[in-house]
Amino acid sequence: QAFVQYEVVWERAWGAAIEVARESMSAPLLVRHPDGESLHVNFDKAVLQVIREAKFLRQLQIDIPPVAEDLLIREASLNKCHDTLKHMLREYEEVMRKVPNDLKQLFVHHLRDLYTFLRPGMTVVTWNSLTADGYVTNMMEALARMHDLLDKVKDLHDNRVLRNLRCICRMCLVNIPTDMVTTEKFISEQEQIIKANSELINLRTIEIESAINDIIDLVSLTPLEPGKTEESSVYLQLGAQVIEKLWNQVHQAILTCIKSSITSLKMRVRSSSLSGLLGSLEK
């Protein structure tokens, strides 16, 4: 009698678990963490438990409810969808990290469109939806286009913007002689060197400006959604904000160059003065 009572209690509990699993299949595919930042796959682990128990009951040739039977049939597709969604979220987080801080203004519309692709999985697309596979496919295609665009932008930004900024920072506008020279010769040589280096800095700033314009053109002509285009004036406005920040960086790079050049000259004059003082003390 005790065993029969236990069996009845267990069967009722399992029936309740099946009902919970059935309801969880009507939940959206994705859910946002309460902290408001991270996204997670909204998959109830109780579903897997019901599937495992249904397998054992079937082996014991015990009839299982239609809901459990349906979950058993869908086990492979549910696991595949779960793994694909986890991979999709990792790719989404990677895309968000890849956007350069200096150029985030340019990607406002792309990030908005990417979120538009993502949002149905948080609202209307559930585990029972026939459109779940199509949703994942569309999202992965959008992520692939975004990855490709960001890789091209990163290449331009790293090799034509940041590299030139680093070169400007490392430049020295003066050439400190190691031997004694006359004041007139020193001034003449430094004027020539400063002129040459100034022309080189100008060429590098032109290259930076050209690279930024190429980046703006690339972003504006590569919509995330095929066939969708934004008005050129929108990207002209966003590009103007990016260029303004960029010129501040160029200005800082030139200031760094000037400061390091003055520091080098100051140290050379100081060492010369110290050498002269030591020589007079020895005499």
Side-chain angles (χ1 to χ4, degrees), residues 17-29 42-48 50 71 74 78 125-128:
I18 292 176
E19 184 62 24
V20 171
R22 184 186 67 81
E23 292 177 357
S24 68
M25 290 293 96
S26 299
L29 298 176
N42 189 23
F43 189 68
D44 192 347
K45 293 182 179 180
V47 174
L48 298 178
V50 168
L71 292 176
R74 297 174 57 193
L78 288 174
V125 182
T126 69
W127 296 94
N128 286 329

Side-chain angles (χ1 to χ4, degrees), residues 77 126 167 215 229 275:
S77 62
T126 69
C167 288
I215 289 173
T229 57
S275 298

Side-chain angles (χ1 to χ4, degrees), residues 90-99 111 114 142-144 146-147 150:
R90 286 194 296 267
E91 289 293 305
Y92 179 75
E93 291 171 358
E94 178 64 20
V95 162
M96 299 303 290
R97 285 194 297 267
K98 283 176 70 174
V99 179
L111 295 178
L114 187 62
L143 287 170
M146 193 69 174
H147 269 300
L150 286 170

